[in-house]
Structure formats: C-alpha cells, structure tokens
C-alpha cells in the first residue's frame, strides 16, 4: 500500500472542516476540499473560519479528475448519494476511503459504489464541533476510530490499508485508535447517537443536561431507555453491548463542553433535515426484523419527523 500524501475531504461541515484544518496545520499541502457549483464559488470567496481563524483550503472541483490517496467523507447521510456522485472522478485505483458519517450503514453504501476493499469501518467520537455557514467551532477534536471489523493488538500486523491510514494520521497529528473489535465500536457509537442526538434534538438541550454535574434525571431516563433498545437489537445481531457501554458514554459526555450541541440538535434549531432515518428508523427496522419491541425509538422517530414537517 502506497504512502498517503494527498487527502480529499468530501463534506466540509463541522467534522470535515475541523479534520481538514488539523491536517493542513500539521501536514501542509496535503488536503483539499471537494466542492462544485455555487458551493465551490462560495468557498472561494468566503473561505472558512475555524475557531476564529481564517482558513483558505485548497479546493477541488467536482468536475475535475484527481487521484487522491485518501478520501474522507464527512457529509450528512441524506447528502451521501450526491457526494458519491461528486466523487466519481476522484477515486483512483488505490484510493482509500474513510466515512465519518453517523450510523452503521454508510460503509456498505460507499463500498457498493466504489469497492469494499477501499473502505474500512470508521467513526469519530468525543468532538463537540459546531458549524454554521462558513464558521466552525470546537473545543474537542475528538478521536477517529477506524479499522477492519477485527484488528490485531500489534500495529505491524494490521492490514496494509489500516497501516497506511495510521501512518498518515501520525504525521497529521490526528488522534485515532484502531480497536481490536471495530464492529463493536461502530455499534457503540450508533447506540450513543440514538440516545444523545435524538434526545438533545427533541429537547433542544446542550450536553450539560446529561453531564454528571448538572444532569436532569428525566432526560437521563429517556436517554438510557433509547440506548437500552439498541442493546437488545445489537445482541440479536451478535454484537455485544451492555450497561457498561452506557457508563462509558456518560464519561464521554462529561468530557464535552457544557454548551456544546449534537449535530442533530443544531439541525433542528436551524430548521434543517435531520438524520433520524439513521437512528430511530434503523432501530425500528431492526426491531421488526428480530421481533423486538422498540417503543421509545418509535416515539422518538414520530416526534422528530413531526419536527421536520414543521420546518
């Protein structure tokens, strides 16, 4: 596997722009933002503001032809089909892909479009990045977890694609982990999103109302109930999750900024489409598959769809 020298970011919202700025700061001239049409012109004229600093990234027109070593996809799920279309001219013979989308299905969709051999499992945890127009703010960079479904504890035994990405992340000072059981960790993040994103979006609350120092008991009960339904579904799918994982999620929340907000909460407050299909609808579909009742997520889905319809 060749060395990663050129990275293309597809999706320049909170996560994409945050990751791009980190790469540009620590590994200059390696990162570019994919854009087209009005968005490309806006990026050219407005640039990006990351934590109050002006950033002017290299831009790649969707209509050009490039051959990046690594593509990082960080769009919303409902924009994924468009991003896949935009990437048609930018996936070379050896291009690797990381998806930082929420949920448990993006790798399968992207793999069907470009080849499963390109895309290990991935997620980002522990960031409180927020984005509005061309402005991104964050206090926590978070950690990118990635890997094959199962990985050795010994780095030199990782697959070539995992070694190539980890070597680049070391150079770019991107915090990462390669878990021994990456599939389990992907479901862990899914469970956290099902609870955290949906509850904070409906209640329009920042993280502090689930932190140990200022937790609202009723909010925590709803949070726990949504995640416990995911535990039942995960176990039916032969993914081991339990109450200790919920405890770990609370520890992660305690590390975030009090006034930080989930991406879904930001979407609701801005009147944008949410990713509800990735979360409660997926739980409902898997519940039906396994004959497991999921009443909490059914209610959350109906509430979020009602909120969306009001926009």
């Amino acid at each position: 596997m060749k060395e990663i020298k050129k990275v293309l970011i597809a999706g320049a919202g909170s996560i994409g722009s945050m990751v791009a700025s980190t790469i540009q700061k620590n590994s200059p001239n390696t990162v570019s933002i994919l854009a087209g049409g009005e968005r490309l012109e806006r990026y050219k004229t407005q640039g990006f503001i990351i934590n109050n600093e002006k950033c002017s990234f290299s831009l790649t027109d969707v209509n050009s032809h490039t051959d990046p070593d690594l593509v990082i996809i960080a769009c919303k799920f409902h924009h994924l089909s468009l991003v896949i279309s935009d990437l048609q001219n930018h996936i070379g013979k050896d291009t690797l892909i990381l998806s930082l989308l929420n949920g448990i299905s993006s790798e399968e969709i992207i793999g069907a479009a470009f080849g499963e051999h390109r895309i290990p499992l991935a997620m980002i945890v522990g960031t409180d990045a927020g984005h509005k127009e061309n402005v991104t703010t964050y206090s926590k960079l978070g950690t990118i977890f990635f890997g094959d479904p199962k990985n050795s504890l010994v780095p030199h035994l990782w697959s070539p694609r995992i070694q190539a990405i980890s070597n680049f992340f070391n150079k770019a000072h991107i915090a990462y982990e390669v878990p021994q059981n990456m599939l389990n960790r992907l479901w862990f993040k899914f469970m956290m999103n099902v609870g955290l994103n949906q509850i904070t979006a409906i209640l329009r609350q920042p993280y502090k109302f689930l932190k140990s120092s200022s937790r609202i008991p009723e909010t925590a009960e709803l949070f726990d109930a949504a995640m416990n339904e995911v535990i039942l579904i995960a176990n039916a799918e032969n993914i081991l999750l339990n109450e200790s994982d919920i405890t770990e999620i609370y520890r992660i929340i305690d590390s975030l900024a009090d006034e930080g907000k989930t991406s879904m909460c930001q979407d609701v407050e801005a009147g944008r489409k949410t990713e509800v299909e990735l979360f409660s609808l997926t739980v409902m579909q898997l519940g039906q598959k396994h004959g497991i009742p999921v009443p909490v997520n059914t209610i959350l889905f109906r509430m979020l769809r009602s909120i969306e319809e009001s926009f």
Side-chain angles (χ1 to χ4, degrees), residues 208-244:
K208 70 179 180 181
F209 294 111
L210 282 167
K211 299 182 76 167
S212 57
S213 60
S214 51
R215 188 173 300 154
I216 296 175
E218 290 79 7
T219 303
E221 289 170 4
L222 191 55
F223 182 55
D224 292 351
M227 292 191 294
N228 273 304
E229 289 182 352
V230 177
I231 290 176
L232 295 175
I233 296 295
N235 292 343
E237 291 276 319
N238 296 315
I239 306 294
L240 180 60
L241 293 175
N242 54 45
E243 289 290 333
S244 66

Side-chain angles (χ1 to χ4, degrees), residues 253-271:
I253 294 171
D254 277 344
S255 72
L256 302 176
D258 281 359
E259 298 302 325
K261 296 180 179 179
T262 63
S263 59
M264 184 175 274
C265 184
Q266 295 174 52
D267 289 338
V268 166
E269 291 184 336

Side-chain angles (χ1 to χ4, degrees), residues 116-167:
E116 294 180 0
H117 65 287
R118 302 182 186 278
I119 181 162
L121 302 174
M123 64 184 191
I124 186 166
V125 174
T127 179
D128 54 6
H131 182 78
K132 185 177 182 180
E133 296 178 350
N134 68 326
V135 178
T136 298
T137 57
Y138 64 88
S139 65
K140 300 283 186 180
L141 279 167
T143 301
I144 294 178
F145 289 73
F146 71 97
D148 299 319
K150 294 293 180 68
N151 303 278
S152 172
L153 292 174
V154 183
H156 75 263
L157 296 179
W158 293 342
S159 66
R161 65 182 185 176
I162 303 307
Q163 291 188 44
I165 296 170
S166 67
N167 288 340

Side-chain angles (χ1 to χ4, degrees), residues 1-5 7 23 27 69-70 72 96-98 120-122 144-148 151-179:
M1 189 68 66
K2 67 179 182 179
E3 181 183 359
I4 292 174
K5 296 181 179 179
V7 177
I23 294 173
S27 188
D69 303 309
L70 174 65
I72 297 177
L96 297 174
I97 304 172
L98 275 189
L121 302 174
I144 294 178
F145 289 73
F146 71 97
D148 299 319
N151 303 278
S152 172
L153 292 174
V154 183
H156 75 263
L157 296 179
W158 293 342
S159 66
R161 65 182 185 176
I162 303 307
Q163 291 188 44
I165 296 170
S166 67
N167 288 340
F168 176 76
F169 280 176
N170 286 333
K171 293 178 182 177
H173 298 179
I174 298 288
Y176 73 90
E177 290 189 26
V178 179

